[in-house]
């Protein structure tokens, strides 16, 4: 049953507020930190790269912490780390100070998705997990868009000096989000309360072949998630020779649709009773359709007006695929993870997304140098491969993971007495 989660409104409000904070610095990250600290772009970029890699290494430790202390407690710690980091950024004018503060915030940022997914599993059951996945994604898109608009207004009023106020605004946003999430109450099961800490650790994850298959499928799909931000702008400028303004239009369409109809589409999928594996596979197929559309567009290369219409139509198909895949795929991974080691399982799952994000820039640029349509062809194949893998894994995954609500057992047949 799709029941309300205790403290759900506080959880969602916290997500929305923290997303505003993220939106205030992510679009300007290098410029943001350059003006806040006074360090050169080269040093800022180098420190961000090194600390970002360190954040990836930290993710398995965060998964272990979730299993030991609970997702809610670790979530609050990460919000506190982010709030402290952004409060200190304006004072980190030396390289060692900036590196130390950036390392703390990078560790928290990289691990946050693992802990948040674990928190969804901790506070919700059944189809409520799918609903929370959709609501959180919609709020994140809306909040990041609002944050980007807000920082633009701040910079318009105070110039680059406004970046300092933005840093403190981020700190306040993360602190307030943590206070709100503190009101969420995890679901307590008798089985969970009596469970002991598993001795196997990550060895248990590595022996779970169906979950590793699910993680591999996520890696293939995650390459597609990187397409809009990494490949799309390069493809427009180098292959289609289209104006850069189309990139902004595409991002706007994607953000508005995610924020505006994400919950609606996820609700329709959930009420249809579709298996999570099937709906996630459908999302991957829609990704593939959008990528094939890019190949067709890159082959025909019509006039500017036709290109604009076609690109926006392709972005709509891509976004609908994202909205269908994301809630089901997220809830599938949360529900496929054994409760006692959910943090370790989701850290492994999230690494596939992080690795795809790290690989995407070099992969896309190398393929684009050969032919502008080639990266889209590779993405279409990987998306279809992910869809096929999801369907084939269906029989090997736990029933409670495949179905948002387990199917009711069939009623026993009653014998019909023979006619006298």
């Amino acid at each position: 049953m799709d029941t309300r989660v205790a403290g759900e409104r506080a959880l969602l409000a916290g997500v929305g507020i923290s997303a505003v904070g993220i939106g205030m610095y992510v679009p300007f990250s290098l410029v943001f930190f350059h003006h806040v600290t006074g360090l050169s772009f080269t040093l800022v970029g180098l420190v961000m790269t090194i600390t970002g890699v360190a954040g990836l290494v930290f993710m398995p430790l965060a998964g272990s912490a979730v299993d030991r202390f609970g997702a809610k407690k670790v979530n609050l710690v990460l919000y506190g780390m982010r709030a402290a980091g952004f409060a200190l950024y304006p004072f980190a004018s030396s390289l060692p100070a900036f590196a130390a503060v950036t390392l703390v915030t990078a560790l928290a940022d990289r691990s946050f998705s693992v802990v948040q997914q674990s928190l969804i599993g901790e506070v919700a059951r059944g189809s409520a997990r799918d609903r929370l996945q959709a609501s959180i994604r919609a709020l994140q898109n809306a909040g990041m868009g609002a944050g980007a608009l807000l920082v633009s207004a701040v910079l318009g009023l105070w110039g680059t000096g406004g970046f300092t106020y933005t840093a403190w605004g981020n700190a306040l946003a993360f602190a307030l989000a943590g206070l709100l999430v503190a009101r969420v109450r995890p679901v307590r099961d008798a089985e969970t309360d009596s469970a002991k800490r598993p001795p196997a650790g990550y060895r248990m994850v590595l022996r779970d072949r169906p979950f590793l298959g699910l993680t591999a499928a996520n890696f293939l799909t995650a390459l597609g998630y990187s397409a809009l931000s990494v490949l799309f702008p390069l493809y427009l400028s180098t292959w289609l020779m289209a104006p850069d303004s189309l990139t902004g239009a595409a991002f706007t369409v994607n953000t508005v649709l995610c924020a505006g109809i994400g919950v609606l589409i996820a609700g329709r999928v959930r009420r249809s009773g579709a298996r999570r594996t099937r709906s996630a596979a459908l999302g991957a197929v829609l990704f593939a359709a959008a990528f094939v559309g890019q190949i067709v567009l890159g082959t025909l290369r019509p006039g500017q007006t036709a290109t604009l219409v076609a690109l926006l139509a392709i972005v709509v198909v891509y976004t609908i695929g994202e909205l269908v895949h994301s809630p089901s795929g997220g809830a599938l991974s949360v529900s496929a993870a054994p409760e006692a080691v959910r943090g370790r399982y989701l850290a492994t799952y999230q690494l596939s997304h992080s690795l795809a994000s790290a690989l995407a820039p070099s992969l896309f640029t190398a393929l684009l140098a050969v032919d502008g349509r080639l990266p889209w062809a590779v993405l279409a194949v990987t998306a279809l491969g992910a869809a096929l893998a999801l369907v084939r894994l269906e029989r090997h995954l736990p029933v409670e993971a495949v179905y948002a609500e387990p199917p009711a057992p069939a009623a026993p047949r009653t014998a019909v007495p023979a006619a006298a």
Side-chain angles (χ1 to χ4, degrees), residues 30 41 85 92 125 151 155 165 183 187 195 200 204 207 240 275 297 303 305 313 317 322 360 376 387 395 400:
L30 281 174
F41 286 112
R125 296 290 183 270
V151 74
L155 296 177
Y165 300 112
R183 300 173 59 185
V187 178
M204 183 175 177
R207 288 198 298 264
L240 292 182
R275 303 171 193 180
L297 181 62
T305 302
V317 173
E322 180 182 341
W376 299 112
R395 73 184 83 171
E400 62 271 18

Side-chain angles (χ1 to χ4, degrees), residues 125-152:
R125 296 290 183 270
S127 58
R129 290 177 176 171
D130 303 70
R131 190 189 69 248
L132 274 181
Q133 293 277 358
S135 299
I136 286 173
R137 188 165 189 82
L139 281 170
Q140 285 174 332
N141 278 276
M144 289 181 67
L149 290 175
L150 180 60
V151 74
S152 298

